[in-house]
Amino acid sequence: MSGVYLTRDAETPALARFYRMLMVPTLFGEWVLLREWGRVGAGGTVRADTFPNAGAAVLALQAITREKLKRGYRSLA
């Protein structure tokens, strides 16, 4: 499994955001990219996208990460 956790700070704590992604294999040989986003400290919206292999899921994870970094998110690691 591979994952990314990003945050975006704001002037007020109520506007601070997070974006979490996790890749997990399915029982059928596919891979799912789980994404969750929302306000820090609150439950978020969840989306699951299925990919035929790990390589396709990694490419999607990397593309989304680049997009979020351009929009002001940063990695905690």
Side-chain angles (χ1 to χ4, degrees), residues 1-71:
M1 286 192 296
S2 179
V4 173
Y5 186 82
L6 305 170
T7 60
R8 186 175 72 187
D9 295 332
E11 295 172 7
T12 61
L15 298 177
R17 303 280 182 198
F18 75 93
Y19 203 95
R20 178 186 349 230
M21 293 183 282
L22 181 65
M23 287 178 34
V24 293
T26 68
L27 294 174
F28 306 107
E30 299 172 322
W31 284 79
V32 173
L33 178 59
L34 295 171
R35 298 190 276 166
E36 181 183 10
W37 65 90
R39 273 194 269 170
V40 172
T45 302
V46 177
R47 178 177 173 168
D49 296 310
T50 304
F51 295 90
N53 55 52
V58 167
L59 289 176
L61 183 140
Q62 291 172 340
I64 295 167
T65 300
R66 280 192 303 274
E67 176 187 320
K68 295 302 174 187
L69 291 173
K70 287 180 185 176
R71 293 179 178 247

